[in-house]
Amino acid sequence: MEDLVDGALNRAASSLCPGRDQDTAKCGICTGFTLFVISLGLFLASFDTVPPTSYGLLQNDFTGYVDTDNVYNPGRYFVFVGHHFIHFPKTRVTIQFSDGETKVAGTEEYQTTVAPAIKARTGPDPSDLTGESGGQPLDLDVAFQYRFTYEEIPYVYQMFGPAWETSFVRFARQAISNTAQLFTPGQFWHKRSEIEAGIQAAVADALLHQGHARVDDLQLMRAGFSDKYEDIILRVQLQEQLKTTKRYNLTVTEVLKSVDIRRSETEAQIMRINAEAEAEAAIIGNKARMQALELVQSTKALAYKRLRDELGWSSDQFLEYMRQAAINAQPSGNIIVKTDSFGGAGAEATASSTTSRRGSPGSSRP
């Protein structure tokens, strides 16, 4: 191998420097090749890239100076030897406060930053069940997403250098803790969305004014109170549910009783209407029977008058006729009848059931 390299150098020296000593020519060729390789390496080392998900600030490796006047967008740049880019995220980055298991998300360069859950305290509750007027301690699991704008990159570096997230965690933790004190414990159950919006506004304001970052979204994932307080709340809620259930049962009973009362009132009204109808019907029936009786009696009287007038009976004869008619209307049997003879002497006659009772007043005439 060495012979091949030496032969190649001799041939190159003979062709490039025909009048010179071959050793001198070979030394010059080696020197030139070395300079070429070094120059090529330096040229390639003068390039640096900004990833597609980042902004960049150029830093001089020799002096440590960072050019904050120019912010670089993603791409490949010729920056000369001894310079490199400091990267800042261009996309949203998540910071999460949680003690549980966290699924890390984000790009390979900008992963989710996980910090311990926030130890905070609520505001005082007028109806505090434990007598602790200063509020209740609680653990908050919160996650939020922040991003940088192109114009704010120089200010971020000037204030925090490349370690801005440590300060962001501190700013957010303080803002969340302060906001939690504005709400009572009960509101963490009944006004969860309102509390989340308040925390987001506080974190966004803190990071904008202190960290030159924009907070686009925030999630209140968990609000955990102490076991003692949660047991008290559980018992209170059970009592509230029991009271509500009893109130509903009372309402149902009231409705049922109201239905019974209405049913009784309706039945009483029906009975009254029926009684009035029966009384009215009895009155109408009695009037009808009275009118019918009057009509029958008047008809009989008219008929008897016509009969008397046609036959020319006297009053005694007509009474005798009526007596005989009454006897004939009686059931069969022996009847003792007292009659007055036309001669003026009284007599008693016994008529059997087989004796004909019929007769006419004319047959007794003299």
Side-chain angles (χ1 to χ4, degrees), residues 118 120-121 171-183 202:
I118 300 174
R121 195 174 187 89
F171 297 155
R173 184 183 296 276
Q174 186 62 44
I176 294 171
S177 179
N178 292 341
T179 305
Q181 298 181 26
L182 302 178
F183 299 93

Side-chain angles (χ1 to χ4, degrees), residues 132-148:
E132 299 178 3
S133 59
Q136 294 296 326
L138 78 163
D139 297 337
L140 295 175
D141 288 0
V142 180
F144 66 91
Q145 293 73 42
Y146 73 90
R147 61 182 174 84
F148 293 122

Side-chain angles (χ1 to χ4, degrees), residues 54-106:
S54 301
Y55 295 113
L57 291 179
L58 188 62
Q59 183 179 26
N60 189 321
D61 296 336
F62 300 109
T63 64
Y65 172 75
V66 176
D67 181 12
T68 56
D69 295 330
N70 299 297
V71 179
Y72 294 83
N73 283 308
R76 182 181 293 275
Y77 298 91
F78 183 77
V79 296
F80 298 104
V81 177
H83 293 75
H84 75 280
F85 286 113
I86 301 174
H87 300 155
F88 294 83
K90 188 177 182 180
T91 58
R92 294 182 180 181
V93 180
T94 299
I95 294 179
Q96 180 173 329
F97 299 93
S98 175
D99 289 333
E101 294 184 1
T102 304
K103 185 177 180 180
V104 177

Side-chain angles (χ1 to χ4, degrees), residues 293-313:
L293 181 61
E294 289 177 353
L295 181 60
V296 169
Q297 294 300 325
S298 62
T299 302
K300 284 183 178 182
L302 181 61
Y304 287 145
K305 184 177 182 303
R306 287 181 180 178
L307 177 63
R308 180 180 175 183
D309 291 342
E310 289 291 334
L311 297 178
W313 288 345

Side-chain angles (χ1 to χ4, degrees), residues 16 34 36 48 50 52 81 109 131 138 160 168 185 227 230 277 281 286 345:
L16 294 175
T34 301
F36 172 76
D48 197 7
V50 178
V81 177
E109 187 173 5
L138 78 163
F160 310 106
F168 284 8
D227 294 339
E230 289 191 351
N286 292 333

Side-chain angles (χ1 to χ4, degrees), residues 162-223:
W164 61 85
E165 281 201 342
T166 302
S167 298
F168 284 8
V169 168
R170 185 176 70 255
F171 297 155
R173 184 183 296 276
Q174 186 62 44
I176 294 171
S177 179
N178 292 341
T179 305
Q181 298 181 26
L182 302 178
F183 299 93
T184 63
Q187 291 176 323
F188 279 87
W189 280 283
H190 303 296
K191 297 183 178 181
R192 184 76 170 258
S193 59
E194 180 180 336
I195 294 175
E196 185 177 80
I199 292 176
Q200 179 176 344
V203 173
D205 183 73
L207 263 66
L208 178 63
H209 292 90
Q210 300 181 55
H212 300 280
R214 313 278 175 164
V215 175
D216 293 327
D217 201 3
L218 182 142
Q219 303 82 38
L220 177 58
M221 299 180 293
R222 186 182 70 90

